[in-house]
């Protein structure tokens, strides 16, 4: 609990771009998803409106990706010891996507220096995972389908892919965010609640080694992240994180999950 | 600064008339959805959500009354479109009139095109002030006469009668649009016109209703790849082979129909580079163009996006020559405006007759005019409070921060339900028509 308290204290001190960005991102996401769902209920939603909302959702998605990737990039550089000061990269994967919010570089630096590298790694991994699931939602909903009655095809793939998601995510956590979980002809129900339940269950299992199922072996990780293995206390080398740290990381992920849970409240 | 905007001398805008119900409860069907002067300015047509068209005619100026201009009175009212049901798709087709465009007058009758989401109709509005009397086969009240009782033949004579204005549908152009029609535009050849929906533009001949040419089609093979739609289209005022269409991404494409039968490849592409410092989640939505209008000269075109009006020189594609901020104070409120759907409002814009001024609407029943020569702008309000005949309109100002001065209104006090989406400017004089929900305001300048 101490870690959580410290974490919150840090956020209170640092009123900078991080929380503001999160809050606006969450607002836009909330509103866009709400509109998307309302339009789904209509027989013939306005095509212009649907396209604009859909493009906004995609933009949100790409911005979050850019943030996560820059977080990972900075963290990796820190851990390897390449750059003394992490600079928030202004470039993003796609040339046309510039970061929307000019995060205070100093704040970012303070954040990174304050967090342990294990936290960053797990946090960014968790965010990647959540983003992957978000991708599934958005990609399933992108674009109007041929029938004018549902200009944006509903999130039809989710139900079918729910079971596949968990395995996919766990095995792919370290990789960059991939999309395209398209599945034509899937059931219509948007099962976001079930999706989130799925994520919840997996990350909150206290005994589970969070890195279990990684395609990267423990030795590889130890090679590239020397600080991880050093800080692991009283545990075998095969388990990269101690139980205590796993709990702490779970709490970090819980924080991130809180954000998303607020976004997608379970009915 | 009391000087008005209107080009040339200083004008002062005055209230002239207001049409429509005074009730606070506005019937949905009465909401005005389009306003258009005809080529001479003698007639002013409005369309509403109930599918009705009301045409006002300017009364002839009396020589005795030197001060006043002619007033507009109801000339004709007719039901243009009815609600329909598409049984195949189980969809209701709204009767709301999206656009009215007048045809140039070629005889005593007037012609206009009116369009709802799916169908365009050509209406003939004609006057009848004489009727024939003295028929042989029927009585004056219309009853048929017994032929055996007819002993003499007479020639019917035309007698004057009270003026009757008849509107009759002469052509119905249907079944050509899968998506919702957003624009119609009469070509300068006076033989053809175009109609545009979200994904396609069709070219029609005014005489032929059973077929049209598809000249633009941006529908992707996979609809899931759709990221851009057509928002407006217009024919060039002089070059009958040229037209433009705008998109939801803030771009305008100019096409030449001589180049190919299908004008999917543009001749010119107008887009202003995005300012990276002002980028936000809403950048694309607010860049979506809601209206495009050529100047009367044909040299410029004007586009309206959510926050601004831009004037483009047709010879310069990379940026507009003039940009006017309509309500920049809304930029910090975009998230709320996104939430309450106001960000999707489609404002129109119009030129004055000499292309020296432009006008567009805003919220709180405000509308804005910009003088292109003097760069002066003015904000006026269409409200019943200023509705005394020839009452001068007082310029309004929105307080954007700091201490609110007297007579200023703060951004948070603006009524976003009172929006002026449709305005029209008389082609020759400084008379403007402003549609405020279910009311039509007519203003004119004080001079003369």
């Amino acid at each position: 609990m101490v870690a959580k308290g410290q974490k919150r204290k840090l956020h209170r001190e640092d009123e900078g771009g991080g929380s503001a960005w999160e809050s606006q991102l969450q607002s836009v996401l909330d509103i866009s998803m709400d509109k998307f769902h309302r339009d789904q209920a209509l027989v013939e939603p306005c095509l212009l409106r649907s396209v604009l909302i859909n493009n906004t959702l995609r933009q949100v998605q790409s911005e979050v990706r850019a943030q996560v990737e820059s977080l990972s990039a900075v963290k990796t550089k820190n851990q390897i010891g390449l750059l003394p000061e992490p600079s928030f990269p202004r470039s993003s994967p796609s040339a046309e996507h510039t970061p929307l919010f000019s995060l205070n570089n100093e704040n970012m630096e303070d954040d990174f220096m304050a967090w342990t590298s294990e936290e960053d790694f797990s946090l960014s991994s968790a965010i990647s995972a959540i983003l992957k699931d978000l991708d599934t939602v958005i990609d399933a909903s992108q674009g109007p389908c041929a029938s004018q009655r549902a200009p944006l095809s509903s999130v039809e793939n989710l139900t079918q892919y729910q079971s596949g998601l968990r395995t996919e995510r766990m095995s792919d956590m370290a990789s960059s965010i991939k999309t395209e979980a398209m599945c034509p002809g899937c059931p219509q129900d948007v099962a976001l609640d079930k999706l989130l339940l799925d994520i919840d269950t997996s990350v909150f299992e206290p005994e589970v080694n969070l890195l279990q199922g990684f395609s990267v072996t423990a030795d590889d990780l130890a090679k590239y992240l020397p600080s991880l293995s050093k800080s692991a206390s009283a545990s075998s080398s095969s388990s990269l994180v101690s139980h205590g740290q796993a709990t702490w990381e779970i709490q970090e992920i819980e924080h991130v999950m809180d954000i998303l849970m607020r976004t997608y409240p379970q009915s | 600064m009391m000087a008005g905007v209107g080009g040339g001398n200083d004008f002062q805008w005055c209230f002239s008339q207001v049409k429509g119900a005074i009730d606070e409860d506005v019937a949905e069907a009465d909401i005005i959805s389009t306003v258009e002067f005809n080529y001479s300015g003698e007639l002013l047509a409005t369309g509403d959500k109930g599918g009705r068209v009301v045409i006002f005619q300017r009364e002839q100026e009396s020589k005795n009354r030197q001060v006043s201009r002619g007033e507009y009175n109801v000339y004709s009212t007719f039901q243009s479109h009815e609600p329909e049901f598409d049984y195949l798709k189980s969809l209701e087709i709204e009767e709301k009139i999206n656009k009215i465009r007048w045809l140039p007058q070629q005889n005593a009758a007037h012609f206009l095109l009116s369009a709802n989401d799916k169908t365009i109709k050509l209406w003939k509005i004609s006057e009848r002030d004489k009727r024939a009397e003295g028929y042989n086969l029927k009585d004056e009240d219309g009853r048929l006469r017994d032929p055996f009782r007819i002993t003499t033949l007479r020639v019917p004579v035309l007698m004057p009668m009270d003026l009757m204005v008849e509107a009759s549908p002469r052509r119905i152009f249907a079944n050509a649009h899968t998506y919702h029609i957003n624009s119609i535009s009469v070509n300068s050849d006076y033989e053809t016109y175009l109609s545009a929906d979200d994904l396609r533009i069709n070219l029609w001949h005014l005489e032929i209703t059973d077929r049209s040419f598809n000249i633009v089609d941006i529908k992707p093979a996979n609809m899931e790849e759709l990221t851009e739609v057509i928002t407006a289209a217009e024919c060039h005022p002089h070059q009958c082979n040229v037209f433009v269409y705008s998109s939801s991404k803030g771009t305008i494409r100019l096409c030449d129909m001589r180049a190919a039968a299908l004008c999917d490849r543009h001749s010119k592409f107008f887009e202003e580079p995005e300012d990276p410092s002002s980028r936000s989640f809403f950048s694309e939505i607010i860049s979506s163009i809601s209206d495009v209008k050529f100047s009367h000269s044909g040299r410029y075109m004007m586009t309206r996006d959510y926050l601004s009006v831009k004037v483009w020189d047709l010879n310069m594609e990379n940026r507009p020559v003039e940009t006017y901020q309509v309500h920049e104070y809304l930029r910090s409120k975009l998230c709320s405006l996104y939430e309450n759907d106001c960000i999707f409002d489609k404002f129109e814009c119009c030129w004055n007759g000499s292309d020296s001024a432009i006008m567009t609407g805003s919220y709180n029943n405000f509308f804005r005019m910009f003088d292109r020569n003097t760069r002066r702008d003015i904000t006026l309000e269409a409200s019943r409070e200023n509705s005394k005949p020839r009452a001068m309109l007082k310029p309004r100002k929105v307080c954007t921060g700091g201490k609110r001065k007297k007579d200023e209104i703060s951004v948070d006090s603006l009524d976003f339900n009172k929006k002026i989406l449709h305005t029209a400017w008389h082609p020759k004089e400084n008379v403007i028509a402003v549609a405020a929900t279910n009311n039509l305001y007519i203003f004119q300048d004080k001079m003369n």
Side-chain angles (χ1 to χ4, degrees):
Chain A
M1 295 309 290
V2 173
K4 196 172 184 182
Q6 279 182 355
K7 186 68 176 175
R8 282 178 179 166
K9 191 183 173 187
L10 273 170
H11 277 294
R12 273 200 295 274
E13 282 171 1
D14 167 28
E15 289 277 2
S19 54
W21 177 79
E22 253 177 30
S23 125
Q24 174 144 92
L25 172 71
Q26 187 181 331
S27 299
V28 176
L29 196 52
D30 279 341
I31 298 167
S32 302
M33 289 306 296
D34 178 55
K35 289 185 189 305
F36 171 72
H37 290 307
R38 281 176 197 273
D39 284 357
Q40 288 286 91
L42 296 175
V43 180
E44 194 186 20
C46 169
L47 193 60
L48 167 65
R49 188 186 143 95
S50 302
V51 163
L52 290 174
I53 291 168
N54 195 40
N55 289 350
T56 305
L57 277 170
R58 280 189 212 174
Q59 193 183 351
V60 165
Q61 181 188 19
S62 67
E63 288 299 329
V64 173
R65 266 190 220 155
Q67 292 283 339
V68 168
E69 289 184 10
S70 57
L71 269 173
S72 307
V74 175
K75 185 173 23 53
T76 308
K77 282 178 186 171
N78 265 354
Q79 288 159 352
I80 298 172
L82 285 175
L83 288 175
E85 72 278 343
S87 57
F88 185 71
R90 300 299 287 178
S91 64
S92 44
S94 165
E96 58 195 357
H97 289 294
T98 53
L100 291 180
F101 301 96
S102 51
L103 286 180
N104 189 331
N105 284 355
E106 290 175 3
N107 283 339
M108 289 297 294
E109 183 178 343
D110 290 342
D111 285 347
F112 287 135
M113 299 314 282
W115 294 352
T116 64
S117 45
E118 296 91 335
E119 300 160 23
D120 296 338
F121 182 80
S122 309
L123 185 57
S124 66
S125 303
I127 293 173
S128 301
I130 291 157
L131 283 171
K132 200 190 301 296
D133 300 324
L134 190 62
D135 279 347
T136 313
V137 173
I138 290 172
D139 287 337
S141 67
Q142 72 180 347
C145 65
S147 164
Q148 201 168 356
R149 294 180 68 176
L152 289 177
S153 56
S154 57
V155 192
E156 297 168 336
N157 338 341
L158 269 187
T159 333
Q160 250 198 28
Y161 271 72
Q162 275 168 32
S163 50
L165 269 176
R166 184 170 169 170
T167 318
E168 183 188 27
R169 179 169 55 77
M170 292 305 287
S171 63
D172 230 3
M173 258 179 133
S175 64
S176 61
I177 298 158
K178 298 277 189 242
T179 59
E180 314 309 316
M182 296 306 298
C183 169
C186 295
Q188 290 225 358
D189 295 335
V190 179
L192 284 176
D193 299 337
K194 290 183 187 171
L195 169 68
L196 290 169
L197 270 175
D198 198 39
I199 298 167
D200 268 349
T201 311
S202 59
V203 299
F204 286 143
E205 285 174 20
E207 300 305 324
V208 170
N209 184 332
L210 283 175
L211 302 177
Q212 187 180 26
F214 268 109
S215 53
V216 182
T217 63
D219 290 338
D220 288 339
L221 276 171
K223 198 190 328 177
Y224 291 109
L225 305 164
S227 52
L228 263 179
S229 56
K230 281 178 194 171
S231 54
S233 58
S235 53
S236 61
S237 56
S238 62
S239 167
L240 284 180
V241 291
S242 66
H243 177 73
Q245 267 187 326
T247 311
W248 193 90
E249 282 154 357
I250 289 168
Q251 288 165 352
E252 288 304 309
I253 293 160
E254 184 186 0
H255 174 65
V256 174
M257 284 311 304
D258 279 345
I259 296 167
L260 275 179
M261 291 302 284
R262 273 181 264 131
T263 308
Y264 308 109
Q266 295 184 23
S267 55
Chain B
M1 189 181 296
M2 291 300 288
V5 168
N9 302 326
D10 287 339
F11 290 101
Q12 186 61 55
W13 291 99
C14 305
F15 172 84
S16 176
Q17 296 168 274
V18 59
K19 311 284 188 189
I22 307 175
D23 287 343
E24 286 293 320
D25 292 331
V26 177
E28 180 90 4
D30 292 339
I31 295 174
I32 298 169
S33 50
T34 184
V35 184
E36 188 81 359
F37 280 100
N38 75 337
Y39 281 76
S40 63
E42 182 207 353
L43 298 177
L44 174 62
T46 62
D48 63 24
K49 279 194 168 183
R52 290 165 301 199
V53 172
V54 180
I55 300 175
F56 301 90
Q57 184 189 40
R58 199 173 198 189
E59 68 178 42
Q60 297 303 316
E61 289 180 32
S62 170
K63 290 171 187 174
N64 296 331
R65 300 167 69 189
Q66 293 171 351
V67 180
S68 71
R69 290 260 182 83
E71 287 191 339
Y72 283 86
N73 298 316
V74 177
Y75 180 63
S76 173
T77 305
F78 56 93
Q79 187 74 32
S80 171
H81 288 71
E82 296 276 3
E84 289 174 45
F85 195 77
D86 182 338
Y87 293 98
L88 195 63
K89 298 178 186 174
S90 290
L91 294 174
E92 192 171 309
I93 300 168
E94 268 192 340
E95 66 275 31
K96 174 172 77 92
I97 308 294
N98 292 333
K99 281 288 186 305
I100 287 174
R101 289 289 181 263
W102 290 93
L103 267 58
Q105 191 175 10
Q106 289 174 322
N107 52 36
H110 299 277
F111 289 86
L112 61 80
L113 289 168
S114 66
N116 72 345
D117 285 340
K118 299 284 187 180
T119 305
I120 305 131
K121 295 187 183 180
L122 175 69
W123 288 88
K124 176 182 177 185
I125 296 103
S126 50
E127 292 181 3
R128 186 194 291 262
D129 60 356
K130 297 181 185 57
R131 67 166 181 210
E133 285 180 13
Y135 285 102
N136 290 290
L137 294 178
K138 60 181 179 183
D139 291 336
E140 295 308 320
D141 52 7
R143 280 185 304 180
L144 290 174
R145 290 170 75 188
D146 186 358
F148 295 106
R149 297 215 179 137
I150 298 169
T151 53
T152 59
L153 278 177
R154 56 186 176 175
V155 176
V157 289
L158 289 174
M159 302 296 290
M161 60 177 264
D162 291 338
L163 178 67
M164 195 165 71
V165 180
E166 295 174 325
S168 57
R170 307 301 290 181
R171 304 274 186 277
I172 296 177
F173 305 91
N175 303 320
H177 285 282
T178 307
Y179 302 96
H180 291 184
I181 295 173
N182 53 53
S183 312
I184 50 174
S185 179
V186 181
N187 210 346
S188 54
D189 60 9
Y190 302 153
E191 284 187 353
T192 56
Y193 75 95
L194 62 76
S195 60
D197 65 28
D198 294 319
L199 297 179
R200 297 190 178 100
I201 302 179
N202 294 331
L203 184 71
W204 301 83
H205 192 283
L206 284 165
E207 298 291 332
I208 299 169
T209 59
D210 62 355
R211 76 195 83 155
S212 64
F213 289 105
N214 175 240
I215 53 176
V216 172
D217 188 343
I218 64 166
K219 184 180 172 191
N222 180 6
M223 279 294 274
E224 287 165 350
E225 293 168 0
L226 181 69
T227 56
E228 192 174 8
V229 298
I230 297 169
T231 52
E234 198 178 47
C235 292
H236 192 277
H238 308 307
Q239 298 169 29
C240 59
N241 53 296
V242 171
F243 66 95
V244 292
Y245 67 94
S246 60
S247 83
S248 57
K249 289 201 170 179
T251 64
I252 309 103
R253 289 167 176 83
L254 183 143
C255 300
D256 188 334
M257 288 189 270
R258 297 170 302 186
L262 190 61
C263 299
D264 277 355
R265 292 176 62 184
H266 52 263
S267 299
K268 294 194 182 187
F269 182 76
F270 299 84
E271 185 179 30
E272 182 173 26
E274 190 184 4
D275 176 13
S277 63
S278 63
R279 193 158 184 271
S280 74
F281 286 118
F282 311 106
S283 293
E284 184 179 317
I285 301 180
I286 64 169
S287 74
S288 175
I289 291 171
S290 50
D291 194 16
V292 62
K293 291 265 173 44
F294 278 106
S295 64
H296 293 91
S297 64
R299 167 117 191 249
Y300 300 96
M301 67 177 174
M302 165 168 59
T303 56
R304 175 71 156 98
D305 50 68
Y306 190 62
L307 295 180
S308 67
V309 180
K310 295 176 181 173
V311 176
W312 302 78
D313 186 324
L314 294 188
N315 297 317
M316 189 162 76
E317 299 168 52
N318 58 354
R319 60 177 175 84
V321 290
E322 296 156 30
T323 301
Y324 302 95
Q325 300 301 333
V326 181
H327 36 218
E328 182 67 14
Y329 47 78
L330 295 183
R331 194 179 285 274
S332 57
K333 311 276 179 193
L334 290 178
C335 197
S336 310
L337 295 166
Y338 180 51
E339 190 171 8
N340 64 16
D341 281 345
C342 283
I343 209 173
F344 299 109
D345 287 335
K346 292 189 222 170
F347 292 94
E348 293 176 4
C349 53
C350 60
W351 298 85
N352 72 340
S354 60
D355 297 337
S356 63
I358 56 183
M359 171 168 63
T360 189
S362 178
Y363 294 104
N364 208 67
N365 277 354
F366 287 172
F367 57 100
R368 303 261 285 140
M369 288 183 189
F370 304 92
D371 188 314
R372 295 178 63 213
N373 299 325
T374 62
R375 292 298 174 131
R376 281 202 292 239
D377 63 270
I378 192 169
T379 304
L380 299 171
E381 183 181 0
S383 97
R384 293 257 178 190
E385 289 170 4
N386 307 323
S387 56
K388 288 180 185 171
R390 292 186 292 283
M392 282 197 309
L393 290 183
K394 197 171 158 186
R396 301 306 306 262
K397 194 155 164 52
V398 177
C399 168
T400 53
K403 202 174 174 186
R404 186 177 72 88
K405 293 175 190 168
K406 189 189 169 189
D407 293 340
E408 282 186 358
I409 183 167
S410 69
V411 180
D412 297 318
S413 307
L414 294 173
D415 187 344
F416 289 94
N417 292 318
K418 292 185 182 172
K419 48 193 89 172
I420 292 187
L421 305 174
H422 312 286
T423 58
W425 205 313
H426 191 289
K428 299 189 174 84
E429 298 176 19
N430 279 329
V431 177
I432 55 174
V434 173
T437 318
N438 62 334
N439 289 151
L440 181 73
Y441 288 82
I442 299 171
F443 302 105
Q444 52 194 36
D445 72 83
K446 192 185 175 192
M447 284 187 62
N448 191 35

